[in-house]
Amino acid sequence: MILELRNIEKSFGEKKVLTGVSFKAEGGKAFGLLGRNGAGKTTSIRILMDVFPANSGEVLIDGKPINYNKVGIGYLPEERGLYPKKTIIDQLTYFAELKGMNHKAAVKAVDYWLERLGMMEYRNKRLDTLSKGNQQKIQLVTALAHDPDIVILDEPFSGLDPVNAMLLKDVVKEQIGKGKIVLFSSHQMSYIEEFCDSIAIINAGKVVLHGDLHDIKRNYPRDRLVVRTESPDQILADFGASCKTMETGDLLIQLTSPEEKKYVMTRLVEHYDIDEVKVYEPSLNDIFVEYAGNAAAEG
């Protein structure tokens, strides 16, 4: 299954929010939709979910207009929206039924996910008696109980401790393994980098970068080396202005050209006590700042 947004335009009154937004996400892989606050991510997601229409453009599945009666979508919003005074089982079952499940199937699915997420003991409790992290897991059940084809996770790790974050990671990997389209929207770049095969960065309502994350990194000039050593002082002295200390404590050496890489690596290994030397690749955070940090977001 391939999900595609093609040339999406959206305005609210005189304010243009999206300008020709296009990207593709593939089943069995995770896709990261990134952008600063106000860049247009949420508007794109709402159009994808048919919350409101685009002014122009298309949402396609395998090249054809999406049929919302046949393609299930599960959504974990950044702003949580459950009922604090209602019991967990009642509202989760209600939301599953809204997605087309009969009551018996809804209860069975909800109980499966409560057990899977270690939340069965809260089944008959009110939502407002739970911690923020546990409320987050309950909200996740609303996105997954109806077994959707497309899973959209907006800041899914917000409020989770490391143990629950690991549990969510396992759940996400399961969904990807089942061939579903998993779409992340998050400012936590480490999670996007860990899960996502491809990304799109939206800036001021436009997609400014889109593609396979590995290929994006490989396309950066390979003219810097990262050196890990317990004795950095001599290297810093010998390489002068072309070498600096990174926040990690490693050294970063700027080469005059990528072709110099092999020579400098050999020189380092032969003349210094080196623990590791490798070509520097930018982190997703570096890429995000480059593409999303150079203009004010709109919409």
Side-chain angles (χ1 to χ4, degrees), residues 49-91:
M49 295 176 59
D50 200 32
V51 174
F52 47 65
N55 296 116
S56 62
E58 298 177 288
V59 180
L60 308 172
I61 291 290
D62 295 332
K64 298 178 182 179
I66 186 170
N67 184 337
Y68 290 100
N69 293 320
K70 295 183 177 180
V71 178
I73 298 177
Y75 179 45
L76 175 68
E78 180 179 6
E79 298 297 330
R80 313 313 179 203
L82 297 180
Y83 301 108
K85 304 299 182 182
K86 297 292 185 180
T87 61
I88 301 301
I89 184 61
D90 288 345
Q91 59 181 311

Side-chain angles (χ1 to χ4, degrees), residues 176-242:
I176 295 170
K178 290 180 178 179
K180 299 183 179 185
I181 294 171
V182 177
L183 192 154
F184 276 94
S185 178
S186 179
H187 292 111
Q188 295 175 286
M189 296 298 156
S190 61
Y191 291 121
I192 299 293
E193 201 155 14
E194 179 178 353
F195 284 109
C196 293
D197 299 279
S198 56
I199 62 167
I201 296 178
I202 297 180
N203 193 359
K206 301 177 182 179
V207 173
V208 292
L209 184 67
H210 177 221
D212 180 273
L213 182 55
H214 177 73
D215 290 343
I216 289 170
K217 289 185 174 186
R218 291 283 299 182
N219 285 334
Y220 273 75
R222 302 178 69 77
D223 60 355
R224 286 177 286 181
L225 298 178
V226 178
V227 181
R228 183 159 55 86
T229 175
E230 294 298 318
S231 306
D233 294 343
Q234 190 60 51
I235 299 174
L236 284 165
D238 291 348
F239 280 80
S242 65

Side-chain angles (χ1 to χ4, degrees), residues 8 14 116-117 121 144 182 193 202 225 252 262 273:
I8 299 294
E14 297 297 318
R116 177 72 179 81
L117 297 175
E121 66 181 288
L144 299 176
V182 177
E193 201 155 14
I202 297 180
L225 298 178
L252 183 66
K262 185 176 180 180
D273 182 13

Side-chain angles (χ1 to χ4, degrees), residues 84-86 88 122 124-132 134-135:
K85 304 299 182 182
K86 297 292 185 180
I88 301 301
Y122 304 107
N124 296 305
K125 295 186 180 296
R126 293 188 345 185
L127 185 74
D128 60 3
T129 64
L130 275 59
S131 67
K132 181 179 179 180
N134 282 337
Q135 289 187 30

